[in-house]
Amino acid sequence: MSLRIETLSKSFDGGASVLREVSLTVHDGEFLALLGPSGSGKTTLLNSIAGLLTPDSGRLLLDGEDITHIPAGQRRFGMVFQSYALFRHMNVAQNVEFGLRVLKGNARPSKAGRRARVAALLDLIEMSDLGDRYPAQLSGGQQQRVAMARALAIDPRLLLLDEPFSALDAQVRQSLRSSVRDLQRKVGVAAILVTHDQTEAFAIADRVAIMNDGVIEQIGSPDELRQNPGSPFVRRFLEAGA
Ligand SMILES: Nc1ncnc2c1ncn2[C@@H]1O[C@H](COP(=O)(O)OP(=O)(O)O)[C@@H](O)[C@H]1O
Ligand SMILES: [Mg+2]
């Protein structure tokens, strides 16, 4: 799977452009971070990729297929947001199964198939014993792992993560960061992580795209960016965050 984003632009209610002809390719299996200050357009870009927002212009190509106008629910992308957004009235197993129940037609596994898939996912996040618990009975880190399992349940073609660790305290954040990275590797799915936290982006990502005011200022591996900041903005931003 590779995702090509081509000259994507977006403004809200006829206002100034929040995304300005953003182009970017996400490679197969890659972990890409979108890093930038608050308001730089990271979430708008991620939501446009997810299909939750419609761009004003530009295209999204998934393995060459134009998906710009395919509804979010049909893109088979897994999503995890800052608020865990687990269903409070469903237990852990039901939350993870949810993504499978909403699949349509042939894509939807049988009841036994769903149960096996949920068991495998709970095993993957090391929460096999906690399938009967309700979200309120879990720590923030556990809830976020369940959100991750739910996103992975549909065998997504791409994983989209918007500040998934920000609501957690520093220690939990760090351990969850590496477990998310491990899960992503194990599953082999490409991921895009939105974060304003440089340490986080550099720790987790193969490549980091630095956003500023609706454009990608620079994209590269953490080492490339550190050694060769390509603009005054990038240099200042990285120095401030170090
Ligand atoms: N639904 C919306 N309506 C109007 N303006 C919005 C909306 N969503 C985001 N914006 C504006 O777009 C800009 C980028 O926001 P966002 O993509 O959320 O940035 P980031 O995720 O980098 O903090 C901000 O100026 C924000 O106020
Ligand atoms: Mg945001």
Side-chain angles (χ1 to χ4, degrees):
M1 171 330 288
S2 84
L3 175 72
R4 173 86 197 134
I5 299 158
E6 274 183 10
T7 58
L8 215 64
S9 292
K10 176 73 184 172
S11 60
F12 293 100
D13 309 321
S17 290
V18 169
L19 296 178
R20 298 186 282 143
E21 304 200 337
V22 172
S23 294
L24 171 70
T25 298
V26 185
H27 304 297
D28 193 30
E30 152 171 75
F31 206 118
L32 181 91
L34 296 176
L35 173 69
S38 174
S40 55
K42 306 180 299 293
T43 293
T44 303
L45 178 56
L46 198 77
N47 287 345
S48 301
I49 294 169
L52 302 173
L53 287 174
T54 309
D56 301 332
S57 57
R59 297 195 305 167
L60 295 170
L61 301 171
L62 192 72
D63 290 331
E65 180 203 353
D66 190 339
I67 60 157
T68 318
H69 299 289
I70 293 191
Q74 289 169 32
R75 292 189 186 189
R76 225 175 89 216
F77 291 172
M79 285 178 260
V80 180
F81 301 104
Q82 174 175 353
S83 54
Y84 323 116
L86 296 179
F87 302 112
R88 300 161 57 86
H89 61 288
M90 293 185 193
N91 68 25
V92 165
Q94 289 163 337
N95 264 284
V96 174
E97 190 190 350
F98 179 80
L100 299 172
R101 296 174 63 101
V102 298
L103 291 176
K104 302 223 162 57
N106 288 341
R108 184 177 163 165
S110 66
K111 197 168 175 188
R114 294 202 302 270
R115 195 171 300 153
R117 179 93 183 118
V118 169
L121 286 157
L122 292 184
D123 190 40
L124 195 67
I125 59 166
E126 296 175 357
M127 286 180 61
S128 294
D129 298 339
L130 302 181
D132 295 334
R133 292 258 189 109
Y134 283 83
Q137 301 169 301
L138 302 174
S139 71
Q142 288 173 326
Q143 290 186 46
Q144 213 42 325
R145 270 152 59 203
V146 176
M148 189 68 187
R150 188 178 60 184
L152 292 173
I154 56 166
D155 191 17
R157 301 192 285 182
L158 180 64
L159 193 57
L160 303 175
L161 310 160
D162 193 348
E163 309 260 9
F165 314 119
S166 339
L168 305 165
D169 64 54
Q171 204 165 358
V172 177
R173 194 156 66 215
Q174 211 160 1
S175 83
L176 196 64
R177 194 192 285 163
S178 41
S179 74
V180 162
R181 182 67 169 118
D182 288 349
L183 285 173
Q184 181 265 349
R185 279 237 174 92
K186 231 181 247 177
V187 176
V189 65
I192 306 177
L193 168 77
V194 162
T195 180
H196 64 274
D197 181 337
Q198 184 189 324
T199 311
E200 182 166 293
F202 279 35
I204 206 169
D206 298 309
R207 284 192 308 155
V208 177
I210 298 191
M211 286 193 75
N212 175 31
D213 198 17
V215 300
I216 291 176
E217 287 262 340
Q218 191 174 359
I219 182 164
S221 70
D223 279 348
E224 283 164 0
L225 291 170
R226 266 191 291 255
Q227 285 159 18
N228 230 333
S231 71
F233 172 84
V234 171
R235 185 171 314 111
R236 263 184 284 118
F237 183 75
L238 295 185
E239 276 167 9

